[in-house]
Amino acid sequence: MEFKMNYLQQEEEMDFMPIIPLNENGTEGADDTPIPAELPLLPLRNTVLFPGVVIPITVGRDKSIKAIAESYKTDKLVGVLSQKDSNVEDPGISDLVLIGTVAKIIKLIKMPDGGTTAILQGKKRFSLQKVTAEEPYFKGQILVLEEELIADDQSFDASVASIKDLASQIIQLSPNIPTEASIILKNIENPSFLIHFVGSNLNGELMEKQALLEMNDMRQRAEMLLKLLQKELQFVELKNKVTTKTKTELDKQQREYFLQQQLKSIKDELGGDSNDREIQEMKKKAEAKKWSAAAKEMFQKEIEKLERMHASTPDYSTVYNHIDLMLELPWEEYTEDHYDLKKAKKVLDKDHYGMHKIKERILEYLAVLKLKGDMKSPILCFVGPPGIGKTSLGKSIASAIGRKYVRFSLGGLHDESEIRGHRKTYIGAMPGRILQSLRKIKSSNPVMILDEIDKVGKDFRGDPSSALLEVLDPEQNNAFYDNYLELEYDLSKVLFIATANDIQGIQPALRDRLEIIDLTGYAVEEKEKIAQTHLLPKQKELHGLEKFSFKISSPVMTHIIENYTRESGVRELDRQLASIMRSLAKDVALKGKIKATLSVKDVARILGKPRYSNEIYKTANMPGVAVGLAWTYVGGDILFIETSLSDGKGDMQLTGNLGQVMKESAQTALTYLQSNAKKLGLDAELFKKKNIHIHVPEGAVPKDGPSAGITMMTALTSAFTGRKVKPYLAMTGEITLRGQVLPVGGIKEKILAAKRAGLKEVILCSQNEKDVQEISPEFIKGMRFHYVKTMQQVLDLALF
């Protein structure tokens, strides 16, 4: 039930508090104006006029204005009928109900805005018999329906009393209805008017009010009104209960949610919201996704949560971004592999020279994939010095097998959330870099390069290398769990290729999951071919010289490699060639031409004097100096071991930034020499009278490892015996106290370093012979290798 302040609206939008006539019985006999058989008809929207009730309306439709004006000039009577559908703007006779109320126009008021307001008082019910005119306004023949007088009926009187009580209760429970309304109810004595007055104010459906009006039996009308009032009372009580409970329980978040729901309802009334369109698009995208049951369930929960939210809430963007990630990830979307092994080999050979072991491994993988159709991808790890093409080889592999390529740099990574992602509740949370990469390239089986895996950091924020254990385990990565996604994702089809310079920098548990493939440095001959086939054409194109015909001959290129670079890879060589190209570009700009062939003199003019020289290794040194071979993470290198004796008490001093293992090798060599002094023709007392100083030049560079053992032994023996070490000779191997020579690693890099330095002979442990045989004979042409088992053999070969 709803009482409101008396304000005026158009007849199609009625919402008012009816005015009570001063004489309740005026409807029945106070006004004896006869009701004609034909009346103008006035359609009303959203309301029903009851006999005795006074309502104000603002007349807006043309037909209604004409009908009101015409009636006001004559008997001031008009037939009021309600519209069946309030949405019809221009109703016809079929849109109107057949039973209405004869109304008297009490007064017409001209409003300031030019409109007309009519105050109508309901007189008697009528039934529309026939429509006599539709223009300029509706007119029809009517039949007045007389009300039955009820006297001395206790049941009816009880119903009327109940109506008053129920109406009073509703007024008391409704905060928007003034309390004066209950006083008005108590003062209404006419039962018929009471039923009409309460029915008019009832907060119910239009058709329920119309049904009330259409009832001829006043008793039935009272019974129906009681049912409607009881229903209204229950609703008001429930509303009050919910409101009271809400007021006590609502916290800030619930209050915001309640207001947002109201705002959403308002927006729906105004024509919907743009967020709805986005949500519908998301649902449409989701239909095409090949999701697991868990992913489907999570999407449904998240989308339902999003529908309940408003875009201005803080959590909206969190849920939206999470759903967006789910939709953009390539769930079971794979590119088709190319199984043409010959073509794949051709692509690999074109992009990279050499590297036969890796190429064979990739072709084996493709062959198995071709036969089986499906298999878990291997987890490869390329280990080798910088600049030899480990990373670019990954891109070449992706091209050869027809997969997408993505590179993920691990160098300096120190937060495990970069791998697994952050929990989405954090501000600025993001998925891990693995899923970000897959989202970007739209494929679940790319070639993913994990670059510099040996340089992963570790601090208080976590250990990323431990997080990589799950990613790089073929038995686990089919259910990789990302903290942001909060779902398992299948990484088993991704071909992971890790690169590293030093395998010792990789955590042991992680190293165990990798298939290590060693990449060694390039020989001079390999560098020359790489320069002619790859580097030179690339630099010509970068410097705009591809149209000019000139060449660098093999001897000149070899001269550049040997005298201006000292590396395992080709990066420095690439930079030197870039310097030459810049100089030639300047010649073109100034002179308009360049020489057809570059000579050694031209190279010296452009690059300056040679930076490296091999002359130092070619001369016979003084006694106590031997040449060793070392392995560093940038490739092989040459080490001089210098030993000097001076009068003293037999103390030994080691300098040159040596590590603990290298110092122990020197101590082992000295102990062996002392225990075999007679055998070597040395006076044992000499060790007590001479101080020994062992120095390894380039003191700024840290050095460690056991491979300089035989070199230190040779240098000590040379210093004590006075015999010189052969020129052009280098050696590498670990020594024991028994005088045995043990094998060491990095043989290819060390031998290539000796070759670059112009050394002719190398002494190695006999067990390292297999490593030498893996090197292409053309790269070690002109070198002689001595394989030994004991220290005595080393001394016999090295000293003269």
Side-chain angles (χ1 to χ4, degrees):
M1 187 167 179
E2 190 176 77
F3 293 89
K4 296 189 178 178
M5 293 301 295
N6 183 16
Y7 64 91
L8 306 178
Q9 290 192 350
Q10 291 186 0
E11 69 274 21
E12 56 266 22
E13 295 291 346
M14 295 302 298
D15 192 7
F16 51 81
M17 173 182 169
I19 299 171
I20 302 173
L22 296 174
N23 181 8
E24 295 174 18
N25 298 317
T27 60
E28 304 297 333
D31 188 352
D32 296 326
T33 305
I35 298 173
E38 186 180 44
L39 281 178
L41 302 177
L42 180 66
L44 288 186
R45 188 195 301 192
N46 288 336
T47 192
V48 176
L49 176 62
F50 286 83
V53 179
V54 178
I55 62 171
I57 63 166
T58 298
V59 186
R61 295 174 179 150
D62 290 339
K63 285 185 178 182
S64 300
I65 291 170
K66 290 175 183 176
I68 289 287
E70 190 65 30
S71 298
Y72 197 68
K73 290 177 183 177
T74 57
D75 55 9
K76 300 184 180 180
L77 295 177
V78 64
V80 177
L81 294 170
S82 298
Q83 285 182 214
K84 295 176 184 177
D85 185 357
S86 60
N87 293 320
V88 178
E89 293 293 335
D90 189 12
I93 289 298
S94 60
D95 295 316
L96 304 178
V97 296
L98 297 178
I99 294 180
T101 304
V102 176
K104 183 175 182 179
I105 306 170
I106 297 174
K107 193 168 185 178
L108 282 181
I109 304 169
K110 292 288 184 182
M111 303 302 288
D113 60 357
T116 301
T117 297
I119 297 177
L120 306 178
Q121 180 181 15
K123 305 297 288 180
K124 289 188 178 183
R125 298 183 306 127
F126 74 86
S127 172
L128 180 64
Q129 301 296 307
K130 181 182 177 182
V131 177
T132 58
E134 293 189 17
E135 294 294 340
Y137 51 83
F138 294 124
K139 286 184 76 174
Q141 290 181 358
I142 65 166
L143 175 65
V144 176
L145 302 174
E146 297 294 340
E147 299 287 354
E148 179 187 354
L149 295 175
I150 301 173
D152 299 329
D153 188 332
Q154 291 183 352
S155 175
F156 178 70
D157 292 342
S159 296
V160 171
S162 296
I163 288 171
K164 279 190 178 183
D165 291 341
L166 286 173
S168 297
Q169 288 180 50
I170 292 171
I171 291 170
Q172 296 299 325
L173 291 172
S174 301
N176 296 327
I177 301 176
T179 54
E180 290 82 359
S182 60
I183 300 172
I184 294 172
L185 279 175
K186 289 177 182 177
N187 291 318
I188 297 175
E189 295 178 356
N190 187 324
S192 176
F193 178 70
L194 176 70
I195 292 169
H196 294 158
F197 178 75
V198 174
S200 183
N201 283 276
L202 190 68
N203 187 23
E205 297 290 332
L206 180 71
M207 286 296 103
E208 290 177 344
K209 291 184 179 182
Q210 181 64 29
L212 201 63
L213 180 68
E214 291 179 2
M215 286 183 175
N216 292 322
D217 189 340
M218 190 64 72
R219 296 179 185 85
Q220 291 180 357
R221 209 180 299 172
E223 287 174 7
M224 183 178 177
L225 182 59
L226 272 174
K227 289 179 182 178
L228 294 175
L229 285 172
Q230 285 168 351
K231 179 181 173 184
E232 178 70 12
L233 180 61
Q234 288 176 359
F235 177 77
V236 172
E237 286 175 342
L238 182 62
K239 186 178 177 182
N240 279 353
K241 184 179 178 182
V242 171
T243 304
T244 307
K245 185 179 178 182
T246 305
K247 281 182 180 177
T248 55
E249 292 181 357
L250 276 184
D251 58 13
K252 184 180 177 183
Q253 185 177 355
Q254 289 172 316
R255 181 170 168 272
E256 287 178 358
Y257 172 74
F258 182 70
L259 293 172
Q260 284 153 12
Q261 287 301 105
Q262 289 185 325
L263 188 61
K264 183 181 177 184
S265 300
I266 293 167
K267 286 192 174 182
D268 289 341
E269 290 294 326
L270 293 173
D273 192 1
S274 60
N275 294 334
D276 295 335
R277 292 195 298 273
E278 288 183 352
I279 290 169
Q280 292 306 318
E281 287 174 8
M282 285 178 165
K283 287 181 177 178
K284 193 174 180 181
K285 281 184 185 178
E287 291 173 3
K289 288 291 177 183
K290 301 173 184 175
W291 278 338
S292 62
K296 283 182 182 176
E297 185 181 352
M298 175 167 278
F299 174 80
Q300 195 59 38
K301 285 181 180 177
E302 294 291 287
I303 206 76
E304 287 173 3
K305 193 186 296 180
L306 196 68
E307 285 176 328
R308 293 194 300 270
M309 289 182 173
H310 188 263
S312 61
T313 56
D315 287 342
Y316 184 88
S317 59
T318 303
V319 177
Y320 182 91
N321 291 337
H322 185 243
I323 295 174
D324 191 47
L325 172 68
M326 289 182 68
L327 290 171
E328 290 193 7
L329 280 174
W331 302 83
E332 294 188 28
E333 294 177 22
Y334 307 112
T335 52
E336 190 175 345
D337 290 338
H338 298 163
Y339 297 130
D340 189 342
L341 269 63
K342 291 181 180 178
K343 184 181 177 183
K345 188 175 187 304
K346 189 176 180 181
V347 171
L348 291 170
D349 288 338
K350 178 187 173 185
D351 293 342
H352 290 81
Y353 181 82
M355 299 187 178
H356 302 295
K357 190 186 292 185
I358 289 181
K359 292 176 182 177
E360 283 300 314
R361 181 66 185 86
I362 296 301
L363 292 175
E364 287 169 5
Y365 167 67
L366 271 181
V368 175
L369 206 58
K370 183 178 181 180
L371 294 174
K372 190 172 182 293
D374 181 32
M375 70 173 290
K376 290 180 179 177
S377 296
I379 314 292
L380 306 178
C381 180
F382 300 160
V383 178
I388 60 172
K390 298 185 297 297
T391 305
S392 60
L393 183 61
K395 194 168 188 177
S396 178
I397 290 169
S399 174
I401 63 179
R403 291 192 182 185
K404 292 186 177 181
Y405 166 83
V406 61
R407 177 179 164 274
F408 176 14
S409 180
L410 294 170
L413 198 72
H414 47 64
D415 189 350
E416 62 101 12
S417 296
E418 293 284 338
I419 308 293
R420 292 187 198 271
H422 306 79
R423 301 209 174 275
K424 67 175 186 284
T425 50
Y426 295 144
I427 294 174
M430 295 174 68
R433 298 271 291 276
I434 302 284
L435 289 192
Q436 283 187 50
S437 301
L438 297 181
R439 177 187 192 175
K440 183 178 178 182
I441 59 171
K442 303 292 183 186
S443 172
S444 286
N445 67 333
V447 174
M448 185 174 286
I449 302 297
L450 302 176
D451 217 5
E452 312 292 358
I453 198 170
D454 57 327
K455 297 176 183 63
V456 174
K458 179 181 178 181
D459 62 10
F460 64 92
R461 282 167 286 196
D463 182 7
S465 61
S466 297
L468 283 170
L469 294 176
E470 182 186 5
V471 177
L472 299 180
D473 191 335
E475 300 301 322
Q476 297 180 36
N477 65 7
N478 62 334
F480 170 68
Y481 186 86
D482 185 274
N483 291 330
Y484 186 89
L485 181 63
E486 294 182 343
L487 284 170
E488 292 179 347
Y489 194 88
D490 186 4
L491 298 178
S492 62
K493 301 295 190 296
V494 179
L495 177 54
F496 287 104
I497 298 178
T499 70
N501 298 129
D502 182 10
I503 196 172
Q504 300 303 320
I506 305 174
Q507 187 194 115
L510 184 58
R511 189 163 66 233
D512 183 58
R513 285 163 167 78
L514 303 173
E515 185 177 334
I516 307 293
I517 299 179
D518 288 307
L519 291 177
T520 52
Y522 295 116
V524 173
E525 291 81 2
E526 287 179 300
K527 289 184 181 180
E528 195 271 326
K529 287 184 180 178
I530 291 169
Q532 296 287 8
T533 1
H534 297 284
L535 304 183
L536 191 57
K538 181 186 82 173
Q539 290 298 341
K540 285 172 74 173
E541 183 181 350
L542 288 174
H543 292 84
L545 297 172
E546 63 268 22
K547 296 178 183 177
F548 296 90
S549 179
F550 68 93
K551 65 177 184 177
I552 300 176
S553 63
S554 292
V556 174
M557 189 66 78
T558 303
H559 174 77
I560 296 170
I561 293 166
E562 290 181 340
N563 294 278
Y564 293 92
T565 67
R566 185 72 90 237
E567 60 176 347
S568 293
V570 290
R571 281 197 182 130
E572 184 62 30
L573 175 59
D574 195 32
R575 285 191 282 269
Q576 298 301 333
L577 290 176
S579 298
I580 294 172
M581 294 303 111
R582 287 195 296 272
S583 179
L584 294 177
K586 186 180 74 173
D587 290 344
V588 171
L590 293 174
K591 303 174 186 176
K593 60 179 182 178
I594 52 176
K595 293 176 68 174
T597 306
L598 262 70
S599 64
V600 173
K601 287 184 179 179
D602 294 324
V603 172
R605 175 179 61 82
I606 296 168
L607 299 180
K609 292 184 178 180
R611 299 181 184 181
Y612 304 99
S613 172
N614 293 332
E615 295 302 317
I616 189 170
Y617 306 112
K618 298 178 182 179
T619 56
N621 287 296
M622 58 182 284
V625 180
V627 179
L629 299 175
W631 181 90
T632 67
Y633 76 95
V634 294
D637 203 359
I638 305 297
L639 288 179
F640 280 100
I641 307 292
E642 301 176 346
T643 305
S644 177
L645 303 179
S646 59
D647 292 336
K649 300 179 180 179
D651 296 332
M652 183 170 71
Q653 186 179 3
L654 300 167
T655 56
N657 202 354
L658 308 183
Q660 186 62 32
V661 177
M662 207 165 182
K663 290 177 180 178
E664 290 171 359
S665 294
Q667 191 63 52
T668 303
L670 180 61
T671 304
Y672 174 79
L673 190 60
Q674 289 172 337
S675 61
N676 292 276
K678 289 184 179 180
K679 192 175 180 181
L680 294 172
L682 296 174
D683 183 4
E685 292 296 317
L686 193 61
F687 293 102
K688 298 178 182 179
K689 299 176 181 177
K690 296 290 184 181
N691 285 342
I692 306 163
H693 186 166
I694 299 177
H695 178 68
V696 183
E698 297 186 39
V701 181
K703 309 167 192 72
D704 203 1
S707 62
I710 65 170
T711 315
M712 288 185 167
M713 179 67 204
T714 304
L716 282 169
T717 306
S718 172
F720 276 103
T721 59
R723 297 165 65 187
K724 293 182 179 181
V725 179
K726 289 181 183 178
Y728 301 96
L729 175 70
M731 60 191 77
T732 183
E734 183 178 351
I735 187 177
T736 69
L737 283 173
R738 294 172 293 165
Q740 291 183 326
V741 178
L742 301 180
V744 291
I747 294 300
K748 182 177 179 181
E749 284 85 355
K750 292 176 180 179
I751 290 173
L752 293 179
K755 172 75 172 173
R756 286 196 298 269
L759 300 173
K760 304 294 184 186
E761 296 180 76
V762 179
I763 299 175
L764 300 160
C765 173
S766 58
Q767 294 181 46
N768 284 127
E769 186 175 358
K770 64 181 186 302
D771 299 310
V772 177
Q773 289 173 353
E774 290 181 3
I775 306 171
S776 178
E778 60 180 298
F779 300 154
I780 52 177
K781 189 178 179 181
M783 294 187 73
R784 187 178 177 191
F785 299 95
H786 304 283
Y787 303 106
V788 298
K789 293 182 179 179
T790 65
M791 195 59 223
Q792 188 59 50
Q793 292 175 295
V794 175
L795 298 177
D796 293 341
L797 289 166
L799 303 178
F800 69 96

